[in-house]
Amino acid sequence: MTEQTKPAPLGSPIVAPIHHSAAYAFNTLADARAVFAQRAAGYTYARTGNPNVTALESAVTKLERAECAVATSSGQAAVTLALLALTGPVNGHVVASSHLYGGTVDLLTDTLAETGLTVTFADPRYPEQWEAAVTPETRVFFLESIANPLADLPELDAIADIAHRNGAVVIVDNTVATPHLFTPGEHGADLVIHSATKYLSGHGGPLGGLLVDTGNFDPSEDPERWPWLTTPHPRWGDRSPVEIYGAKRALLGVARCKYLNDLGPCMTAITAHEILQGISTLGVRVERQSATAASLAATLNRHPAVARVHHPHFGGARQEELYAQGGYRGTGGVFSVDLNGTPEQVEQVVNSLRLIKLAANIGDVRTLVAHPASMTHCRLTPEQFEASGITEQTLRFTVGLEDVADITADLFQALSVIADATEPPAAWERLSNAARATAEWVHRDPNYPSKDSFHDRH
């Protein structure tokens, strides 16, 4: 075969292959012994890592400008590992935001409470409440960078200062903001949580979570407070986690090699691969969703069926100031409204939506609605409901990638159950001609669009 007739050399794949293997082989027993004893780096069994999971952990670590990360089977698993690693060996106390995702509240007040964990809730807008809640047993402050579902911004820098003065670790759930819009480690967070199911994945498919160490927490600075991280133990071959992993990686070393290994909430190679594909479009998606959510919030803020819009741009002067000066590069795709109606009318509005789907997820490319009081926060006590700001009239929206005119049209036709806005209020005038025409069409045509047909035609 001449040089001219030789086939072109094969290229390298631009998408990483999936390493679908449960176990990893060693050349020698000495190699295996060193890796299992934590004296050498390497993969042992897929429960504690594989190349795809490592690639995802590295990508999110870079996005968060952090030190290291551990991937888990869900965001809830990431929260659990973080709390166990920080409070598991003691009956620790957590000060947590009163504006939290309902599943996190369940974990804190029910499942982990059975292990001896105690929790006090404080409003993320008032740092003095966090100061007052501290006890000698307090090990953790837990809050969200953009609250789910009411989308308010916390006084993170002030709260982090209080935590660190009292020897507590700050955990920030950055799921709604994403590292594209906000990096909590630059504002005092020690650990960052992601439900990667949401915006990192972006398409409502895989379930996964990440626990990220920003590198701000060093247990060796207060070894008596964190003895399970700083003193030798048989689990670690009579060494300490600080000695094995280094001071800034000791906590996640314990999270991975003890709690992830023993409890097993691991991420699969296929899941990691799929989330990595989602991350490649993260910036484009969240910027579009953030802008659309802000536009819809502005429109609904003047709608006669809406009593209140929960969004950083409509939360008062301090929320605007936090957004402008607090390092946020967008407000996210989640916002909520309180409707001017009875619980029965609120249910009618939800059931009247045709494009917007009723589902508990956020961060999807599809626009979704949830009724927190019936769904994500259904187990809150009356006192917790009052502190959370959620009522029977609250609806949470998570904005997808549909055209804003179509989303607006669906909202207006559904809200007409409470107050018909075909006679234009000021907000209606701000819509584009296309959006107004679409909404007027919706009012005339009860079959536009069916919930199942919209995405078929787009």
Side-chain angles (χ1 to χ4, degrees):
M1 181 179 292
T2 66
E3 191 69 30
Q4 288 77 14
T5 61
K6 285 183 179 180
L10 294 176
S12 300
I14 59 174
V15 176
I18 298 174
H19 296 266
H20 194 48
S21 178
Y24 299 86
F26 297 90
N27 291 326
T28 68
L29 181 57
D31 292 341
R33 185 181 294 115
V35 173
F36 273 85
Q38 309 280 312
R39 290 194 299 269
Y43 299 109
T44 58
Y45 192 70
R47 189 166 67 245
T48 52
N50 70 25
N52 297 104
V53 172
T54 298
L56 174 60
E57 292 168 346
S58 298
V60 175
T61 297
K62 183 177 180 180
L63 287 172
E64 287 287 2
R65 303 169 193 172
E67 181 72 22
C68 55
V70 172
T72 60
S73 58
S74 67
Q76 192 82 328
V79 175
T80 303
L81 261 59
L83 292 173
L84 288 174
L86 288 166
T87 69
V90 296
N91 291 329
H93 173 251
V94 174
V95 184
S97 170
S98 56
H99 294 194
L100 277 184
Y101 163 62
T104 307
V105 176
D106 291 341
L107 178 66
L108 288 166
T109 61
D110 188 358
T111 300
L112 290 183
E114 294 174 351
T115 71
L117 183 79
T118 58
V119 59
T120 303
F121 290 99
D123 193 311
R125 299 167 298 177
Y126 302 105
E128 62 272 18
Q129 292 189 13
W130 296 71
E131 184 88 64
V134 173
T135 75
E137 288 73 41
T138 301
R139 293 294 191 278
V140 173
F141 277 23
F142 192 106
L143 64 162
E144 296 171 346
S145 55
I146 299 178
N148 176 12
L150 298 188
D152 44 80
L153 308 180
E155 297 280 353
L156 178 55
D157 291 85
I159 290 170
D161 285 344
I162 294 167
H164 295 150
R165 279 195 281 104
N166 288 278
V169 172
V170 179
I171 303 177
V172 175
D173 188 327
N174 202 33
T175 297
V176 175
T178 79
H180 187 78
L181 300 180
F182 187 69
T183 43
E186 297 176 346
H187 298 272
D190 301 298
L191 299 179
V192 176
I193 299 291
H194 283 284
S195 173
T197 311
K198 313 303 193 295
Y199 288 98
L200 296 184
S201 166
H203 295 79
L207 197 67
L210 284 131
L211 170 58
V212 185
D213 194 322
T214 65
N216 294 334
F217 173 55
D218 182 350
S220 64
E221 293 178 352
D222 192 356
E224 292 184 0
R225 189 170 180 81
W226 309 100
W228 59 94
L229 300 175
T230 59
T231 58
H233 191 276
R235 173 87 188 211
W236 313 109
D238 292 323
R239 294 174 294 166
S240 72
V242 165
E243 183 183 350
I244 295 173
Y245 305 109
K248 293 189 175 183
R249 297 192 173 206
L251 182 65
L252 258 61
V254 171
R256 182 191 304 277
C257 296
K258 179 176 180 178
Y259 293 106
L260 184 68
N261 180 73
D262 291 2
L263 302 178
C266 55
M267 180 180 286
T268 69
I270 294 172
T271 295
H273 175 86
E274 193 169 349
I275 294 171
L276 269 171
Q277 302 315 301
I279 286 176
S280 66
T281 62
L282 175 65
V284 176
R285 286 185 287 103
V286 298
E287 288 180 13
R288 165 79 174 267
Q289 290 163 320
S290 186
T292 300
S295 174
L296 291 171
T299 298
L300 294 178
N301 192 50
R302 299 292 296 275
H303 195 289
V306 176
R308 181 178 179 183
V309 170
H310 298 278
H311 183 277
H313 291 331
F314 300 96
R318 181 54 182 161
Q319 287 287 295
E320 285 278 22
E321 187 178 10
L322 283 170
Y323 174 69
Q325 302 176 9
Y328 289 89
R329 297 175 287 275
T331 51
V334 173
F335 72 98
S336 293
V337 299
D338 295 339
L339 297 185
N340 268 324
T342 65
E344 291 74 22
Q345 287 177 311
V346 172
E347 186 162 351
Q348 283 182 282
V349 169
V350 172
N351 293 341
S352 298
L353 291 165
R354 297 168 185 160
L355 159 63
I356 300 170
K357 297 183 180 296
L358 177 62
N361 197 22
I362 66 172
D364 203 318
V365 291
R366 305 157 189 84
T367 299
L368 308 176
V369 65
H371 185 247
S374 300
M375 299 168 69
T376 54
H377 294 69
C378 64
R379 285 178 289 276
L380 266 59
T381 65
E383 294 76 19
Q384 289 167 346
F385 267 118
E386 184 176 357
S388 73
I390 298 167
T391 72
E392 289 287 343
Q393 281 71 32
T394 304
L395 293 180
R396 182 193 70 187
F397 294 96
T398 173
V399 175
L401 298 181
E402 305 94 340
D403 190 277
V404 67
D406 286 316
I407 303 172
T408 304
D410 196 30
L411 286 168
F412 269 73
Q413 65 83 21
L415 290 170
S416 66
V417 168
I418 296 175
D420 198 333
T422 51
E423 293 300 321
W428 181 263
E429 291 295 337
R430 289 199 297 269
L431 296 179
S432 66
N433 290 333
R436 289 200 298 274
T438 303
E440 289 162 3
W441 173 25
V442 168
H443 279 283
R444 293 195 304 270
D445 182 1
N447 296 316
Y448 171 85
S450 73
K451 286 190 174 182
D452 296 327
S453 68
F454 182 87
H455 290 283
D456 292 340
R457 66 184 180 85
H458 281 64

